[in-house]
Amino acid sequence: MAMAVANCCFSVVTSTVKFRCCVPSQPYLATSQHSIASVTCKAVVNRRRRPGEHKEGVSQKKSPGKSKDKRSSLHDEDDDGISGKRNAGKSQSMAFKSSGTQRKNKKEFKFDMKEQQFEPQNLKDAAFLDAVVKVYCTHTEPDYSLPWQKQRQYTSTGSAFMIGNGKLLTNAHCVEYYTQVKVKRRGDDTKYVAKVLARGVDCDIALLSVESEEFWEGAEPLKFGHLPRLQDAVTVVGYPLGGDTISVTKGVVSRIEVTSYAHGSSDLLGIQIDAAINPGNSGGPAFNDQGECIGVAFQVYRSEEVENIGYVIPTTVVSHFLKDYERNEKYTGFPSLGVMLQKLENPALRACLKVRSNEGVLVRRVEPTADANRVLKEGDVIVSFDDVHVGCEGTVPFRSNERIAFRYLISQKFAGDEAELGIIRAGSFMKVQVVLNPRVHLVPYHVDGGQPSYIIIAGLVFTPLSEPLIEEECEGSIGLKLLAKSRYSLARFKGEQIVILSQVLANEVNFACKNRYLVFEFEDNYLVVLEREAASACSSHILKDYGIPSERSSDLSEPYVDSLEDNQAVDQDFGNSTVTNLEVGFDGLLWT
């Protein structure tokens, strides 16, 4: 696949790309955020497959160079004899797998006697088990190389549970690229159609509703409990690999800290447990001894050196998701401060920055699209957040005698909320106000709307660069320069994206010629020139020859209006620090 980054005459502006022609004419439009970190947590069999997902009879193309250690989502994928690539999202620094879809291929059944399973009757009160349902999802993933097409559909199974008011909760990766979702109650043989109301990709939670009154007869929603303590008993319930009936496993809470969410490539509070979590458990509840739901099972850590490390989304994150949805009638996402921070453990560094106490973190970089760009500067030291002191390791007090990553305080806010930062600048203390909003990615981890944008001009296919596209094509075929640009660059303004020439549909009009009027200038001064009239005349024939329904995606049908603000964006060199969503980078830097 030929790829080049468009520039100049083919300019990237806002969320649209404007094709500038050398003769007066109506401009062509094309609308154009890095999800390598899917600690493998997808309950779906889409191109990014979560470890532990269960598929039925699907031939899968594995991504090269996968790490042995993986966090993966736990839903089961049933691929009814469909062949296709199913890559689970990969994390740059960790390998987490979503606990989602479960495979039904008998040849792949592996039973681990170390994972002890408990029968429901062994529980003190099994009544709450009736609130746990099995999810059946049919997925149709986009073909990012041929953006006007979709791949062949596949199916998967996962878990969900009732929360009242006709609604269910499950994992976002369980219903990714969904075309149909059905649910079935315990002890019932009827599947009911469910509607997806909201998907929180960053927190890996989805909200479903079922309209059928019959489905809710005699149902009692689960009650949410508080954040557990270390060594508290925990029971995980769901429909994992190994059978069709409900499964119950027990363990204890091993750790509570900010962790990497595989599916959303984000860092939020997570509960680590040692209860067995398998493909198909994704979206199922975790209970305490009182029968209260303390979270949602969503991913596991796979490694040859460890075993039985599972992760649960705590009720604090679940409540944030639900409140966000209620406030805005849609899900807007967790906010970010938009800065890269460095720890201040070195006394000499603190003395150089005139920081007298053993606290604070150094601002190394501020994202141009963040509101913090107005009030923070490189070299500032953040010493407090809403009057909570920030330690020199980038941690803040948590509960009675614990500490947790500074990112936790930010995740308690909602998009649009304000925060007060205490900073030291050139030795002087001051307080500043900053508005928190979701982070803007130059190369998206997920494509909103389900289908990537594209535009075809005289056989030249342009589409925005995204992590799914990089994963689909494999990093080796992208080119080092483009790959580095996607990893190390930051968006200069909201809506900016990298647009690539993904392929050329062979036709006489797109061979190089002299005296052409339609000019495309790419990086490295590479030039493509086409005759505008000839290009326009041949477009319908090219679409027909290649079986393409339209020359552009539906989101590019509206006329493009240039923005003065966008044209004023200044090109910046952001150095060589990798841009990831992981809070602690390899070089000791923290994205917050």
Side-chain angles (χ1 to χ4, degrees), residues 416-435:
D417 286 356
E418 284 192 356
E420 183 179 72
L421 302 179
I423 66 172
I424 295 177
R425 178 178 295 169
S428 300
F429 176 80
M430 64 181 70
K431 289 190 174 182
V432 296
Q433 302 290 328
V434 61
V435 178

Side-chain angles (χ1 to χ4, degrees), residues 426-582:
S428 300
F429 176 80
M430 64 181 70
K431 289 190 174 182
V432 296
Q433 302 290 328
V434 61
V435 178
L436 304 174
N437 285 299
R439 191 174 177 189
V440 176
H441 296 281
L442 180 62
V443 177
Y445 287 94
H446 296 267
V447 176
D448 294 333
Q451 199 71 16
S453 301
Y454 73 91
I455 188 169
I456 303 173
I457 301 178
L460 305 181
V461 181
F462 296 96
T463 189
L465 184 65
S466 64
E467 279 302 330
L469 175 59
I470 293 176
E471 291 179 9
E472 184 173 294
E473 293 299 327
C474 300
E475 295 182 1
S477 65
I478 297 294
L480 290 178
K481 185 171 183 178
L482 182 56
L483 190 60
K485 191 177 185 70
S486 69
R487 296 286 183 270
Y488 297 96
S489 299
L490 298 175
R492 298 167 298 170
F493 52 86
K494 292 182 179 179
E496 180 186 19
Q497 301 210 354
I498 299 175
V499 175
I500 63 171
L501 173 61
S502 64
Q503 58 184 298
V504 178
L505 305 177
N507 188 274
E508 292 181 0
V509 74
N510 51 44
F511 283 91
C513 302
K514 296 181 180 180
N515 301 322
R516 303 301 185 184
Y517 300 100
L518 190 56
V519 180
F520 300 92
E521 184 176 346
F522 298 88
E523 283 195 346
D524 299 328
N525 298 318
Y526 183 78
L527 214 62
V528 172
V529 183
L530 302 174
E531 183 179 356
R532 182 176 58 85
E533 293 183 1
S536 178
C538 75
S539 292
S540 60
H541 298 291
I542 293 177
L543 296 179
K544 182 178 179 180
D545 291 343
Y546 289 91
I548 303 173
S550 174
E551 68 175 0
R552 65 186 68 193
S553 53
S554 58
D555 58 322
L556 302 183
S557 59
E558 296 296 325
Y560 171 71
V561 178
D562 204 349
S563 169
L564 177 62
E565 178 184 355
D566 295 334
N567 287 334
Q568 291 177 340
V570 179
D571 194 11
Q572 301 181 37
D573 182 8
F574 296 105
N576 57 1
S577 297
T578 183
V579 179
T580 78
N581 268 31
L582 297 177

